[in-house]
Amino acid sequence: MRGGQVRGLWAPQTRALTAGLVLTITFVASEALAVVTVMPVVARDLGGFRLYGWVFSAFMLGSVVGIVAAGREADRRGPAIPFVAGLVLFEAGLAIAGFAPSMAVLVAGRTLQGIGAGAVPAVAYASIGRSLAGSLRARMMAVLSTAWVAPGLVGPAIAAEVARAFGWRWVFLGLLPVVAITGLVAVPALIRLGPPAARGAAEHRLIDGIAVAAGAAMILSGLTLAVGSGIVLAGLTLAAGSGTVLAGGGLIAAGLAVGFPPLRRLVPAGTLTARRGLPATILTRGLLTFAFFGADAYVTLSITGVRHRSPVVAGIAVTGATLAWTAGAWVQARLNERWEARRLVRIGLAVVLAGIGGMILVLQPGVPVAVGLTAWTVAGLGMGLAYAPISLLMLREAPPGREGWASASLNLADVLGTAIGIGVGGAAVTAAAGRSLHLGVTAAFAIAAAVGVAALTLTRRLPTGSTAALPPVVAGPAAARAGSGLAESGTGLAERRTAVTGQETGLAEPVAELAESAGGLAGRQDGVSRRRARRS
């Protein structure tokens, strides 16, 4: 950047890019929330309730592939090519979903959407690391987090009205032009950034990303089978019964065998043993998303299914946490210059744990439901405090020229932490659905809390120091000539929340479908998934 100075996120030379990124994330976030809202209508129209959960799981699994591919290409060729490719795939997925004649085709469209959505955050983190100083990095994350406010407040209502007035297909098709236009606003500056000056020898292999996605799919299917419910897998219907427990266990074991070795290659060495520095940063992020989304997926279920309040009341918890997450992101942006990043992460995790504790408490009949609504709003604040500082630590610790590689590793931790958290919690809920929903949800919250405690313990291995004073990484000759043209290229940072939400829903929904057969939980899970992360 010229002179190493960037005046601000909305300076004349960066205003269009910042606006383009914020608008893109706003519309992508709207789509993520809209799908949750209209899926019951879609499933009835297409007659495919057996594939209901896979509409969301396919998005999550596709994003794993997109994350790996885009991170590699961002380090090879710069951020513009993977960003545009991600937009094209996301748009193609929207079109296929909008014209889908069956649920199977809809699942295919959602897979393409996931690949496209997964590409955006890897590009975002790499661009931020190469273009912004520390204080502006934190501010950009707060700005992108704010892009989730409007979708969180009005997105579901608008989606429902569009589906009523024009049909559910226009929920997908109506976003085609706006996502394309707003996304392409950022492309010229991304082109100017160019490839990094230095590249590491080791790169993520696309085949490893595909293997991890396949392993995750097998584990999720195994969890489903292990609790005694049928599922459609590879075109075969496996009936529920005593054999499904063994079949589920076998799938879980096979998924670990398929996915674990490539996962070790996709994350920094020492991640799975919590080595200090970047490895511990990546692992902490995965545990954080496990804890939060593993509980979040069952918040509205607790309020509607256990405490028997209306979905409108449950929605207050969703909206409260969405707004509080954004507030927490802005708080961390201000404190970032004075406090160590790991201090913010510790405080955020402690607040999330307090929120989970409040949700366990509100399951008791004598406790006012308002306690749960407040508790989950507080948990959203904790995520806002903890989420972005981990991203900043990752950017600080990433080797020069390998921001895409490190970003992809962090995004993988996001996806897998969310997926496994919701899957394990869902197994607990489904297993207990025929006997005691209260017990199943309590178990899900307890598991999430235990992982949150593990994450809190792990924070002592995070890098020390503030991230505010970090200079931007010099990206290369093309970027130097471009001046500060990409100063604000934080694209998909909140897109991480999109992916996260897609993943969150992706596993909450199969659990909902299964639980419906055991105790009518499916409808309530839809509201659960609106929790809004995401995305930064």
Side-chain angles (χ1 to χ4, degrees), residues 284-311:
T284 300
R285 178 64 152 265
L287 296 179
L288 171 66
T289 55
F290 185 118
F292 181 80
F293 290 111
D296 176 75
Y298 308 103
V299 167
T300 58
L301 180 61
S302 301
I303 296 170
T304 59
V306 177
R307 296 304 306 272
H308 307 294
R309 298 301 193 272
S310 71

Side-chain angles (χ1 to χ4, degrees), residues 502-530:
Q503 284 92 58
E504 160 199 331
T505 316
L507 293 180
E509 292 301 350
V511 169
E513 185 188 9
L514 297 173
E516 180 181 6
S517 65
L521 305 182
R524 295 189 280 274
Q525 282 295 75
D526 288 337
V528 174
S529 301
R530 298 179 190 173

Side-chain angles (χ1 to χ4, degrees), residues 459-520:
T459 56
R460 68 177 184 271
R461 293 179 172 267
L462 293 176
T464 59
S466 170
T467 58
L470 297 177
V473 179
V474 177
R481 289 192 299 271
S484 54
L486 188 48
E488 271 56 285
S489 82
T491 168
L493 202 52
E495 184 70 86
R496 168 75 254 118
R497 285 173 79 180
T498 301
V500 162
T501 300
Q503 284 92 58
E504 160 199 331
T505 316
L507 293 180
E509 292 301 350
V511 169
E513 185 188 9
L514 297 173
E516 180 181 6
S517 65

